[in-house]
Amino acid sequence: MRVSTRGAYLNSLLAMQKLQQALDYTQRQISSGRRILTPSDDPIAASRSIQMVETISRLEQFDRNSTLALNRLSQEESALNSVNNVVQRVRELGLQANNATQSDESRGLIAVEMRELLDELVQLANQQDGNGRYIFSGNLDQTRPVSRSGSTFTYHGDQSQRIIQIGEGRQVADGHPGSRVFFEIRNGNGIFQISPAASNLGTGLSGEGSVVDPTAYDRDTYTFTMLTDTTYQVVDSSGGVVDSGTYETGDTITFSGIEFSITGQPVSGDEFTVAPSQNQDIFSIVDQLSTALEQSITDDASRAALNNAVNSGLLGLDQALGKVLDIRTEIGSRLAAIDNQVNLNANTILGLQTALSDLQDLDYAEAVSRLSAEAATLEAAQASFVRTQQLSLFNYF
């Protein structure tokens, strides 16, 4: 068989090109640190790598979301801590003002401080985060949540909470709407409220009251009336008598699953209304308490009215403190959930990165050894090609 000079030349050149390509491929592997440079190198491993990279990217986005939620909730917690301190101070002032030794002037000074604290409460409700978004406006975080017109306080946000994805199948709200924090404070004891009539002339003071039989309490509105200076009766909203008897200061009055007491000496015609608790806002509680302290004490009846107003305000403040505590407990639970999810995401990312490294990363020792062998082979092929091209039949004549 005859082999032409041109055919031998082309075959040698093709072999060297293949060796050069292999050497170049190995060099690119070493420079990139990757075993797989194109999907065709290992289609199955490349497909799995793409899936892992996408999962890692998604988990990293969850971590960024977690940071946003963590910052937002931490700012809300800080604001509520300040709210708690302000309300506690208002409560201390209320107890101080309810002392019989206080004069009209000293109560007026206490009312001045209360109104300053009221302004601080409004500022806290309108607090913004580091991005200029209002913390307590729900999803309307560009809207100032609380406005004031005289003694009326209005909420302008919505009732929603922003839900943030922090993990696969796990979400967390990054705050609470101000309506829930500041405007859903139950009056009275949280179940019912006892309110003296404005026209009362006696010195009767109502207690907090409680539910002793939840199955018997029907949430009706009842009216306690002094028929004489020593007898009373209680009627429901339809006028039916549910209780009556002889009044003794401090005695417990029980009917329809609830009980309460009245101390002091109410007189004939004095009334107390027992009605289901309604929502009120924390600002109005402080405002009404301040207004009560600004009234002059002229007789025993006006002092009793002041004491009833202060007691009612203190009950409202206790409900507000309980609400703030409930919200802060929820925030603490959410912060703990975020921390746990961040740790879970980090562990998952670490596992995926390890698996991805096993699929993609290059074995440098093997690659360097292969590069050396390929370089030597190419060098030998080139030398052989040069010598072969120098051969001629004329050398043998």
Side-chain angles (χ1 to χ4, degrees), residues 51 54 91 149-150 184 390:
Q51 293 175 350
E54 289 178 348
R91 192 179 188 283
S149 178
E184 294 181 4
Q390 296 174 348

Side-chain angles (χ1 to χ4, degrees), residues 169-223:
R170 191 167 194 178
Q171 299 174 326
V172 67
D174 71 347
H176 296 80
S179 55
R180 181 181 172 195
V181 179
F182 301 105
F183 287 81
E184 294 181 4
I185 312 299
R186 306 296 284 178
N187 59 15
N189 58 20
I191 301 176
F192 62 86
Q193 181 183 35
I194 307 169
S195 305
S199 58
N200 285 359
L201 299 177
T203 60
L205 302 177
S206 60
E208 177 180 349
S210 62
V211 176
V212 293
D213 185 359
T215 61
Y217 179 50
D218 55 9
R219 303 188 63 80
D220 196 3
T221 298
Y222 301 92
T223 303

Side-chain angles (χ1 to χ4, degrees), residues 138-139 158-163 173-177 180 330 334:
N139 283 332
D158 63 13
Q159 316 303 317
S160 304
Q161 301 179 85
R162 183 180 291 99
I163 304 300
D174 71 347
H176 296 80
R180 181 181 172 195
E330 289 184 16
R334 293 178 187 179

Side-chain angles (χ1 to χ4, degrees), residues 14-87:
L14 180 61
M16 285 190 294
Q17 287 176 339
K18 289 182 177 180
L19 289 172
Q20 182 65 52
Q21 289 174 349
L23 180 64
D24 178 67
Y25 181 81
T26 302
Q27 288 175 329
R28 285 190 293 121
Q29 281 185 317
I30 293 174
S31 64
S32 66
R34 296 295 182 89
R35 181 179 67 87
I36 303 173
L37 298 179
T38 62
S40 60
D41 294 340
D42 189 338
I44 295 178
S47 176
R48 292 181 60 193
S49 297
I50 292 173
Q51 293 175 350
M52 290 181 183
V53 169
E54 289 178 348
T55 301
I56 291 173
S57 177
R58 189 165 60 253
L59 290 173
E60 289 174 343
Q61 180 61 57
F62 291 154
D63 281 348
R64 290 190 289 272
N65 292 349
S66 296
T67 299
L68 293 175
L70 186 67
N71 292 338
R72 181 87 170 176
L73 287 169
S74 296
Q75 290 173 326
E76 183 185 14
E77 160 64 20
S78 177
L80 289 180
N81 181 58
S82 298
V83 168
N84 182 81
N85 293 337
V86 171
V87 175

Side-chain angles (χ1 to χ4, degrees), residues 47-155:
S47 176
R48 292 181 60 193
S49 297
I50 292 173
Q51 293 175 350
M52 290 181 183
V53 169
E54 289 178 348
T55 301
I56 291 173
S57 177
R58 189 165 60 253
L59 290 173
E60 289 174 343
Q61 180 61 57
F62 291 154
D63 281 348
R64 290 190 289 272
N65 292 349
S66 296
T67 299
L68 293 175
L70 186 67
N71 292 338
R72 181 87 170 176
L73 287 169
S74 296
Q75 290 173 326
E76 183 185 14
E77 160 64 20
S78 177
L80 289 180
N81 181 58
S82 298
V83 168
N84 182 81
N85 293 337
V86 171
V87 175
Q88 287 283 14
R89 177 56 182 165
V90 173
R91 192 179 188 283
E92 291 173 4
L93 292 173
L95 289 172
Q96 179 182 342
N98 212 24
N99 193 307
T101 62
Q102 296 288 346
S103 65
D104 289 350
E105 182 181 3
S106 61
R107 281 193 301 275
L109 294 175
I110 292 174
V112 170
E113 183 177 349
M114 277 191 182
R115 294 200 179 279
E116 292 294 332
L117 292 170
L118 174 58
D119 292 339
E120 186 175 349
L121 274 179
V122 174
Q123 291 177 359
L124 288 170
N126 290 326
Q127 187 166 326
Q128 296 170 286
D129 62 16
N131 296 319
R133 300 184 303 168
Y134 289 101
I135 295 176
F136 296 108
S137 284
N139 283 332
L140 302 179
D141 54 19
Q142 298 299 319
T143 301
R144 189 179 181 87
V146 178
S147 66
R148 177 180 184 178
S149 178
S151 297
T152 302
F153 300 85
T154 306
Y155 177 66

